[in-house]
Amino acid sequence: MTGHLNLSSDIIVKGQHHFGESGSEAFLDAARPPLIIATSRDFPDHERISDTWVEELQKRGIKLFRQDQTGAVILRFGRDRWEAQSYLTGETFRSANQ
C-alpha cells in the first residue's frame, strides 16, 4: 500500500469474520480509535476475539469493550464529547476531550 490512509475514528463497532481476523494492524494504524466495541463468543471458535489481538490493542492504548463481558454498550454523544457505558458492569469510557 502506498501512502497512509486516514480513517480516523473515535469509536469502532466490529463483529468477527468467519475466517481470518478483522481489525488488522494496518487498519488500526489508519483508524487510531481510542475505543473498540467488539462482539466475542466462545462458540463457534471464529466468533471469539483472539488473545493476540487483545494484546495488540493494549499495546496501542485502545480501550476494548468485549460484548461477552460488557453486554450491550450504551453510547451517549454531546456536542464535543462522547461516552460509552457497559450495560453489565457499568464501566464508563469517555472521550479524551471531556
Side-chain angles (χ1 to χ4, degrees), residues 69-87:
Q69 298 170 356
T70 65
V73 177
I74 302 162
L75 297 172
R76 295 181 185 92
F77 297 93
R79 179 177 297 260
D80 296 321
R81 63 181 187 262
W82 54 263
E83 71 178 29
Q85 183 178 22
S86 162
Y87 181 78

Side-chain angles (χ1 to χ4, degrees), residues 11-65:
I11 303 169
I12 293 176
V13 179
K14 79 176 225 40
Q16 306 304 320
H17 288 293
H18 287 270
F19 57 90
E21 191 170 281
S22 63
S24 69
E25 289 185 33
F27 177 75
L28 295 174
D29 287 341
R32 298 180 319 276
L35 173 66
I36 295 178
I37 301 167
T39 61
S40 183
R41 307 175 92 193
D42 286 336
F43 183 82
D45 286 343
H46 66 266
E47 293 288 334
R48 184 179 316 119
I49 293 174
S50 76
D51 293 338
T52 304
W53 189 72
V54 172
E55 290 169 9
E56 180 64 28
L57 296 184
Q58 290 172 341
K59 285 193 302 191
R60 292 169 176 267
I62 298 171
K63 177 66 177 172
L64 173 62
F65 272 18

